[in-house]
């Protein structure tokens, strides 16, 4: 591969997700494979501004493919949003001899990378790391599959106790703007209803559906609620509403919270991270820049960062229909 790039930086930025370590490992080892240097940039853009760098060779990433979180740490950095902050980051990169970087993060991190690329013509490639699966240009983001497995495992446990007491559980999962986790985990865990930001089920329909469920002889019910569901009510308000309109139910609430972001990555996320890391480094070596690596139809593709940031993912309508049929 013909390239002037001799040293690539890698950082994780914004919210962490399982699979980030596997992606770091892949970037580091792909650099080693192509005999170029790799530098870990700690604490996202904050570490870039402060020059918090550490050279990484193939052996420095031993035994991290199975670990959740990120060994490079992540951070939210206000200074990178300013020209002065980005100028300081550029000086640090130049001083270290870094020619390009791979950023693993979400759309905020990609916006920072794109702006930096525009200002300094600095080669950058993004890898989508977020459990929300809300990035345009890829069917899967790193961490989504692991988060689904975590959520399904927990809901299975909740169902055990729910059915022992004939209870109704509202389970809140992550997803302020998108319902991908709620919908997929809901179908996977056999939830009675799934409330997501993209579709308004309507509270009356929810009550009707729960009533029918009770009448049909179900011993327990699980309703999955995405954080930003369209009813505009949070899980506790939903509990109150249902208790008021359906006093036959003994209602409980479970908010899953940050456990959804943790844990050892699934095999799918590890493989995806490994593939994306190779693609990101090789894209840089081919002279490509300001692109995000994604996966579509099991093929790795590159999407301009600008499109990845501006585009919106769509909820799977077919899966909504499947969910409706399954609750018959
Ligand atoms: P995520 O990458 O998970 O969406 P954030 O939205 O917090 O997380 O973004 C991560 C970091 O990216 C921010 O802390 C900031 O340093 C940088 N960033 C986000 N938006 C911009 C922007 N408009 N300009 C420059 N940097 C940005």
């Amino acid at each position: 591969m013909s390239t002037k790039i001799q040293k690539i930086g890698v950082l994780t930025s914004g919210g962490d997700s399982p699979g980030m370590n596997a992606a770091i490992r892949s970037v580091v080892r792909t650099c080693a494979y192509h005999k170029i240097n790799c530098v870990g940039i700690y604490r996202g853009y904050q570490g870039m501004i402060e020059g918090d760098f550490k050279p990484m060779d193939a052996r420095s990433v031993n035994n991290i493919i199975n670990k959740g979180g990120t060994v490079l740490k992540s951070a939210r950095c206000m200074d990178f949003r300013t020209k002065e902050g980005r100028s300081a980051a550029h000086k640090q990169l130049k001083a270290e001899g870094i020619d390009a970087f791979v950023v693993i993060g979400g759309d905020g991190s990609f916006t920072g990378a794109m702006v930096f690329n525009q200002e300094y013509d600095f080669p950058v490639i993004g890898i989508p790391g977020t459990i929300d699966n809300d990035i345009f240009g890829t069917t899967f983001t790193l961490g989504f599959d692991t988060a689904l497995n975590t959520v399904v495992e927990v809901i299975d446990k909740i169902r055990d106790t729910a059915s022992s007491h004939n209870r109704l559980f509202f389970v809140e999962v992550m997803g302020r703007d998108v319902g991908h986790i709620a919908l997929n985990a809901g179908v996977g865990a056999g939830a009675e209803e799934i409330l997501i930001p993209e579709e308004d089920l309507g509270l009356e329909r929810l009550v009707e559906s729960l009533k029918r469920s009770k009448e049909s002889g179900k011993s327990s019910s699980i309703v999955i609620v995405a954080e930003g569901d369209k009813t505009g009510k949070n899980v506790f308000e939903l509990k109150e509403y249902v208790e008021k309109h359906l006093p036959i139910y003994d209602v409980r609430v479970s908010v899953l919270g940050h456990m959804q972001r943790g844990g050892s990555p699934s095999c799918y996320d590890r493989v995806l991270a490994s593939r994306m890391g190779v693609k990101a480094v090789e894209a840089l070596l081919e002279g490509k820049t300001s692109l995000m690596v994604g996966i579509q139809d099991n093929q790795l593709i590159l999407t301009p960062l600008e499109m990845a940031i501006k585009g919106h993912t769509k909820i799977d309508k077919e899966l909504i229909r499947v969910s409706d049929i399954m609750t018959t």
Side-chain angles (χ1 to χ4, degrees):
M1 285 184 191
S2 66
T3 172
K4 287 192 208 78
I5 289 174
Q6 293 300 325
K7 201 185 256 193
I8 291 178
V10 57
L11 68 150
T12 48
S13 168
D16 65 307
S17 69
M20 280 185 160
N21 281 326
I24 294 166
R25 172 180 178 269
S26 174
V27 168
V28 171
R29 295 220 168 137
T30 308
C31 286
Y33 177 83
H34 287 290
K35 300 198 171 23
I36 56 169
N37 295 309
C38 189
V39 173
I41 301 169
Y42 282 79
R43 295 178 293 118
Y45 293 121
Q46 193 62 43
M48 192 183 277
I49 289 171
E50 293 171 17
D52 194 356
F53 303 143
K54 189 171 154 196
M56 298 183 90
D57 63 17
R59 295 286 71 76
S60 68
V61 287
N62 287 350
N63 301 324
I64 66 165
I65 191 169
N66 55 334
K67 296 209 161 69
T70 158
V71 294
L72 290 176
K73 312 280 182 198
S74 190
R76 296 208 149 92
C77 169
M78 290 310 289
D79 289 347
F80 201 74
R81 293 173 185 267
T82 67
K83 265 189 176 306
E84 295 73 27
R86 291 191 296 275
S87 165
H90 185 247
K91 283 191 188 115
Q92 294 282 9
L93 292 173
K94 284 282 129 194
E96 182 71 22
I98 296 172
D99 307 307
F101 68 76
V102 175
V103 57
I104 307 160
D107 54 0
S109 303
F110 296 161
T111 306
M114 186 184 72
V115 172
F116 191 75
N117 168 265
Q118 286 163 353
E119 281 175 352
Y120 295 101
D121 193 22
F122 200 90
V124 297
I125 296 282
I127 292 180
T130 163
I131 63 164
D132 292 331
N133 211 35
D134 58 348
I135 308 271
F136 180 84
T138 188
T139 316
F140 295 105
T141 56
L142 293 183
F144 177 57
D145 183 66
T146 305
L148 290 183
N149 288 319
T150 303
V151 172
V152 164
E153 199 184 320
V154 174
I155 296 173
D156 286 348
K157 289 180 178 156
I158 290 174
R159 191 180 286 284
D160 287 347
T161 168
S163 56
S164 304
H165 295 273
N166 285 347
R167 275 178 183 151
L168 164 63
F169 262 89
F170 281 103
V171 181
E172 187 194 89
V173 301
M174 282 189 171
R176 277 203 191 88
D177 306 309
V178 291
H180 301 300
I181 292 181
L183 180 58
N184 285 271
V187 171
E192 272 62 48
E193 288 293 345
I194 303 166
L195 306 184
I196 52 176
E198 292 88 344
E199 297 256 316
D200 193 356
L201 172 69
L203 289 172
E204 277 172 29
R205 225 203 86 182
L206 173 68
V207 169
E208 273 313 304
S209 152
L210 291 172
K211 212 176 185 174
R212 270 200 313 278
S213 173
K214 193 81 176 170
E215 285 161 6
S216 75
K218 284 193 179 171
S219 62
S220 66
S221 290
I222 308 270
V223 177
I224 311 289
V225 187
E227 282 168 309
D229 92 274
K230 199 126 193 178
T231 63
K233 291 195 184 298
N234 66 39
V235 265
F236 297 100
E237 291 165 339
L238 285 170
K239 169 184 174 349
E240 272 176 32
Y241 186 90
V242 169
E243 276 178 337
K244 196 166 149 209
H245 292 85
L246 272 180
I248 42 166
Y249 268 113
D250 179 14
V251 192
R252 293 288 190 274
V253 167
S254 188
V255 177
L256 300 194
H258 281 80
M259 69 152 78
Q260 295 163 86
R261 283 221 194 138
S264 178
S266 66
C267 182
Y268 182 85
D269 276 329
R270 296 180 199 193
V271 173
L272 184 62
S274 303
R275 293 177 71 188
M276 284 181 165
V278 172
K279 184 78 176 174
V281 170
E282 294 189 344
L284 284 171
L285 297 184
E286 285 162 11
K288 296 184 174 129
T289 183
S290 212
L291 300 166
M292 181 197 78
V293 181
I295 185 153
Q296 242 164 45
D297 301 327
N298 205 25
Q299 298 294 312
L300 292 185
I301 56 164
L302 294 165
T303 301
L305 284 179
E306 194 177 3
M307 280 172 68
I309 295 158
K310 286 191 183 147
H312 293 285
T313 55
K314 290 203 180 85
I315 199 77
D316 185 344
K317 298 263 184 199
E318 178 59 23
L319 198 51
I320 294 178
R321 205 174 89 81
V322 169
S323 163
D324 287 344
I325 293 171
M326 290 305 114
T327 52
T328 303

